[in-house]
Amino acid sequence: MGEAADGTDFDVAFVGGGLASVLAASMLLERQPALRLLLVEREPRLGGNHTWCFHAADLPRAAARVVAPLIVHSWEGYQVRFPSRTRRLASPYACVTSERLDQVATARLREAANATLIVGHAVRELKEHGVVLDDGRSFRASLVIAATGPEQTVARGGRGYQKFFGLELDAPGHGIDEPVVFDACIPQRDGFRFMYLLPLAHDRLLVEETFFSETHALDDARSKQEILAYCAARGIHVRGVQRSERGVLPMPWIDQDFSASARPLLAGYRAGLFHPVTGYSFPQAVRFAVALADSDLTQLAREPERDSPLAEFAREQAAQRPYLRLLTRLLFTFFEPSQRYHVLEHFYRLPERLIERFYAAELTPLDRARIFLGAPPRGFSVGRALRGQREAS
């Protein structure tokens, strides 16, 4: 990894050192080790303070070599717990941490002959073919990709929020063998509320209090108390807290679609590349990285190809997102906040392969019909939706 002088030219420049940029940069360097690549991150390290999880069925095989070194934990299945339904799904599940992401990506960039990583500096000016840093340095790039996180996401119209506060706990003998993706067997407040559990080791447990809520407000102190009380009530002895993490993610149901022709090119959460219902961003980030690496960067920089792999990725996203955004809209507008858990409880009656395709955002027309077959979940209220529309107008 070289030190770039002011005015250096690059083939591609990434703004933001989060998941989307790191995966895409890693995929490009896997295919083109000599690529002139710049990655700028305003924080001292890459990846922030996050834990990303994904289902094995979410990822294309082409990404295996890049993703495998990032995985810190994997399990053969996961569980969901609702008041009227408990289920184990034999769908492999894996976890990536920002610490591992930073370690692996920094090493890859240092090994690449023509790659430059700049951390601790923000981009003051973002151009179609270049960036200017906060210290005045300016770099040119044939293709600029901006992936600066959910705080930049703007929705045209209705939205809810997925928000969470988590504690990584020193909890010897906690007895949790597999992830619990939903434990909604707790009092409901501030929307759909559940606990999310990841057993990171026999003595290490990540517990997140998560909400699907109308508001972005998140009380960290209260969530910490609730998590510790939840553990105590279930006989989980907590010896200490190793770290905390939090997130507030907009979940719009009226949104712009990803565009392969926008310049600068947007990626990650800023480009709407996340699952509209679950908020998961890892699968979309990986698929964006594969599509970008499969495309001709020279052609993308000159004039976006209508038939490029990146354009095909955009079409695939556009084909799935309207239906998924409809599900999000139904969740937030047709159910009272305290009744939203019924939607997910009802959903988990479906066949496991359909559930896998849902998380992967690869629903077939038959899948879409099957989700709506039969009686609606308890708590479904057309009146609530109509009241909401009147209040919005």
Side-chain angles (χ1 to χ4, degrees):
M1 180 176 70
E3 291 295 328
D6 186 41
T8 300
D9 287 341
F10 291 93
D11 299 309
V12 59
F14 291 92
V15 178
L19 179 67
S21 289
V22 166
L23 288 174
S26 299
M27 187 68 68
L28 285 171
L29 292 174
E30 175 80 14
R31 305 277 185 86
Q32 304 178 57
L35 191 70
R36 298 176 302 165
L37 185 148
L38 171 67
L39 196 157
V40 181
E41 165 55 38
R42 67 184 178 184
E43 300 298 331
R45 69 172 209 173
L46 302 174
N49 178 32
H50 301 289
T51 303
W52 298 278
C53 288
F54 61 91
H55 304 265
D58 293 346
L59 305 185
R61 290 183 180 179
R65 282 172 56 89
V66 168
V67 172
L70 303 176
I71 297 172
V72 293
H73 302 282
S74 59
W75 304 267
E76 292 303 312
Y78 68 95
Q79 300 175 30
V80 296
R81 301 172 184 170
F82 297 94
S84 298
R85 188 185 306 277
T86 298
R87 184 177 179 184
R88 180 189 184 271
L89 293 96
S91 177
Y93 198 69
C95 167
V96 171
T97 64
S98 54
E99 182 178 11
R100 176 66 66 85
L101 188 81
D102 177 58
Q103 292 171 350
V104 173
T106 298
R108 280 176 175 156
L109 288 163
R110 291 189 186 281
E111 292 168 1
N114 298 316
T116 296
L117 171 63
I118 298 175
V119 296
H121 287 280
V123 169
R124 187 177 71 196
E125 186 178 354
L126 182 64
K127 303 177 181 179
E128 181 177 350
H129 294 295
V131 296
V132 180
L133 304 191
D134 53 9
D135 61 4
R137 283 181 291 172
S138 177
F139 303 102
R140 293 183 295 271
S142 299
L143 181 65
V144 177
I145 302 173
T148 50
E151 70 276 6
Q152 300 292 335
T153 301
V154 178
R156 302 190 307 273
R159 76 163 82 188
Y161 295 89
Q162 180 187 158
K163 56 190 183 183
F164 60 88
F165 178 85
L167 297 177
E168 188 173 324
L169 303 171
D170 180 4
H174 54 70
I176 308 296
D177 297 323
E178 292 183 322
V180 180
V181 173
F182 295 104
D183 185 353
C185 299
I186 57 177
Q188 296 296 295
R189 64 176 175 83
D190 196 9
F192 171 36
R193 173 179 178 251
F194 61 94
M195 293 292 181
Y196 176 83
L197 292 79
L198 280 183
L200 303 177
H202 72 278
D203 60 350
R204 194 63 57 86
L205 183 66
L206 175 64
V207 184
E208 292 182 349
E209 183 183 36
T210 306
F211 304 86
F212 285 14
S213 171
E214 279 88 358
T215 73
H216 60 78
L218 185 60
D219 186 336
D220 295 6
R222 182 173 182 181
S223 285
K224 181 177 180 178
Q225 292 177 348
E226 294 284 2
I227 290 169
L228 295 177
Y230 171 88
C231 291
R234 284 150 185 81
I236 299 172
H237 172 63
V238 176
R239 191 163 54 187
V241 175
Q242 298 299 314
R243 70 178 188 93
S244 65
E245 65 177 90
R246 74 191 309 274
V248 179
L249 307 176
M251 298 178 67
W253 52 86
I254 301 175
D255 195 3
Q256 74 278 8
D257 283 318
F258 168 76
S259 170
S261 60
R263 294 295 179 270
L265 184 64
L266 302 184
Y269 226 97
R270 182 175 180 181
L273 291 179
F274 58 92
H275 195 292
V277 184
T278 68
Y280 280 35
S281 57
F282 200 94
Q284 278 79 5
V286 170
R287 292 177 186 186
F288 169 82
V290 171
L292 182 68
D294 285 344
S295 299
D296 182 335
L297 293 186
T298 302
Q299 180 64 34
L300 283 179
R302 287 201 308 263
E303 182 179 356
E305 293 179 281
R306 185 166 55 184
D307 296 323
S308 70
L310 192 65
E312 177 60 26
F313 168 76
R315 287 191 289 271
E316 291 172 355
Q317 291 289 307
Q320 290 286 338
R321 291 178 67 80
Y323 179 84
L324 294 171
R325 288 199 297 255
L326 171 63
L327 296 182
T328 303
R329 179 172 178 263
L330 292 175
L331 176 68
F332 278 96
T333 62
F334 280 76
F335 293 85
E336 295 293 340
S338 64
Q339 300 296 306
R340 283 185 193 138
Y341 74 93
H342 289 302
V343 178
L344 278 299
E345 185 177 60
H346 187 70
F347 171 77
Y348 271 97
R349 81 194 189 283
L350 294 166
E352 190 163 326
R353 295 295 173 260
L354 190 158
I355 293 172
E356 288 181 348
R357 290 192 293 273
F358 166 79
Y359 276 104
E362 293 180 335
L363 290 171
T364 68
L366 183 59
D367 291 337
R368 299 177 191 184
R370 191 162 187 178
I371 288 172
F372 281 107
L373 283 177
R378 284 186 292 168
F380 178 81
S381 172
V382 175
R384 183 181 192 276
L386 293 175
R387 288 195 303 273
Q389 287 181 347
R390 286 196 298 268
E391 291 170 3
S393 60

